[in-house]
Amino acid sequence: MADTPPGSPLPPSPAAPPAPAAPPEGEAPRMPLRRLGWRRFLALAGVVLLIAACAVFMVFTLGQSLGAQALLIGVVAAILPVPVLVACFLWLDRYEPEPLKYLIFCFAWGAFVSTAASLTVNDFAANRFADWGLPSALTGVLVAPFIEELTKALGPILLLVFRRREWSGITDGLVYCGLAAVGFAMVENILYLGGLGYASGADRYGPATGIQQVIAIFILRILLFGFAHPLFTSMTGVGLGIASRTADRRIRVLAPIGGLLLAMMLHGTWNLLPTLTQATGEAMIMLYGFLGLMVPVFFGTVGLALWLRAWEGRLTERVLPDYVRAGWLSPPEVAALSSLGRRHAARSWARRVAGDAGVRAMRGYQSAATRLALLRDGALRGLDRKPADQERTAREERELLDAITAYRSFFVGRDPQAPAGVWDGSRYHLRFPDGTQRPVDAPDEPVVPIPVVLAPAPVPVGYAPPGWPGPRSAPPWPPTHP
């Protein structure tokens, strides 16, 4: 890794550069925090109150409908798969983990706000269909897909509108929308497991039958088809992710609409399969629909998510070389961010040379460098159209670069096995064991890590220093190649 001490841009003297002074004891530096103004406070309070009100409404409604015992059994059974599903989405988001508060917001929005709105609308539609002499199954085919997918998506849409900088692309869309869908499915499963499962069985044949029905519904609805809601809403997540990284206003509007419509159609088709099976008595309709439609879509979506995760994980390799040429970073630093394996190796190295404080600093450094790459990528894509947004980007760039320098001071120059040298933005100036010192070009495959010292700290990339190659076009979005 590297340090950015003051000094001359000339090559170093034959003497090896001294290791930087040890940072003060205590916690590693933290990223700058945003101030919570009164407007943000009121908006946050309003969202919290809305979610809390919907949670109270759902608990009261389900308790009144199912009874206390059935509600408790339904809650316990419905919560069991949640940690597994949440862990899958968190694993998908390891390169640039989203703030925990936004993940909790999406989950809570789907669990309470979306379910409260959907339950109200679905009950209203079912009553109207009954008044008109139409089958209640139409609610699941025509109404439920529309209102459920719309309300699940509203939470992530609010994040996109008011916190666009927290979106790094399609992967974030899959994570935010997936967590909203997991929350929705959890509460919906309480209704099925506690009502259709335990309550109906216990009322007819006793508690033992109720437990048997809970197990049967758990196997059928959760173990076999538990991916359904996250799969539907992931279509909306793809559209929102595309919209988050494009400067074209038409795509910003059309991509989320297209993803939402696709989610509704997929959801409606899924609900139509059991309806047709029940109406015709042909069980093969459900089997063919499951194997011919849902399974291919599921594996296709999983494959897309894994490919996008790798593509977006290499964002640092595509964007941060700008900072290498400008003298802010050295090639090994960029290489050390290019994969999860290399990031883990860098943290292990930091622990060896600087202890626990070095590990914490390396985690902060990796997070700041990834955010810097996202910020630079957004600028290259033209996401900041207003002068105020461009000024904010320049300010955040400077803050991130300062944070990277502070994090680096915890572990740079502390490895006695590493060569002494300086990176000047184009080549190394290394001191060899025989005492000689000469410039060396950077290898095509950087050795990770080489904790060299940087030449004098330049101005941030956004300020276009002398000799800066200038902005280049961003890679296509959505990606056309890995």
Side-chain angles (χ1 to χ4, degrees), residues 269-290:
T269 302
W270 176 250
N271 288 353
L272 180 62
L273 293 176
T275 301
L276 292 178
T277 299
Q278 184 177 7
T280 62
E282 295 289 340
M284 298 304 292
I285 294 178
M286 187 68 187
L287 180 62
Y288 289 152
F290 177 71

Side-chain angles (χ1 to χ4, degrees), residues 17-227:
E25 294 293 333
E27 294 291 332
R30 298 180 181 272
M31 291 299 301
L33 299 177
R34 294 176 181 171
R35 293 182 179 180
L36 185 63
W38 67 270
R39 293 182 179 178
R40 289 188 62 201
F41 176 80
L42 290 179
L44 179 62
V47 170
V48 172
L49 289 176
L50 174 63
I51 294 176
C54 290
V56 172
F57 171 79
M58 288 304 299
V59 171
F60 176 79
T61 301
L62 293 177
Q64 199 173 40
S65 173
L66 306 179
Q69 189 175 24
L71 176 61
L72 179 61
I73 293 175
V75 168
V76 172
I79 288 178
L80 289 178
V82 171
V84 177
L85 294 173
V86 171
C88 290
F89 286 106
L90 295 182
W91 175 84
L92 189 65
D93 195 37
R94 286 180 63 190
Y95 273 106
E96 198 265 326
E98 306 309 316
L100 180 61
K101 58 184 178 182
Y102 297 141
L103 300 178
I104 295 176
F105 164 75
C106 287
F107 182 88
W109 182 278
F112 303 119
V113 179
S114 180
T115 54
S118 299
L119 180 63
T120 303
V121 173
N122 287 338
D123 285 347
F124 176 82
N127 292 332
R128 298 293 75 77
F129 286 145
D131 294 340
W132 299 335
L134 298 175
S136 59
L138 290 177
T139 303
V141 177
L142 300 179
V143 179
F146 172 82
I147 187 61
E148 291 178 8
E149 294 306 321
L150 179 61
T151 54
K152 280 187 290 184
L154 279 180
I157 288 174
L158 289 175
L159 277 183
L160 179 60
V161 173
F162 295 103
R163 289 292 180 267
R164 179 174 59 83
R165 291 174 180 265
E166 299 297 339
W167 287 68
S168 60
I170 298 178
T171 301
D172 284 0
L174 294 174
V175 172
Y176 286 137
C177 289
L179 289 178
V182 171
F184 181 95
M186 180 190 70
V187 176
E188 188 181 57
N189 287 335
I190 295 174
L191 183 62
Y192 281 90
L193 294 166
L196 296 180
Y198 182 81
S200 62
D203 290 343
R204 292 183 179 182
Y205 306 107
T209 301
I211 295 297
Q212 291 177 354
Q213 292 190 182
V214 169
I215 296 174
I217 294 177
F218 184 91
I219 294 174
L220 183 65
R221 182 173 178 83
I222 295 179
L223 295 186
L224 294 182
F225 306 133
F227 63 86

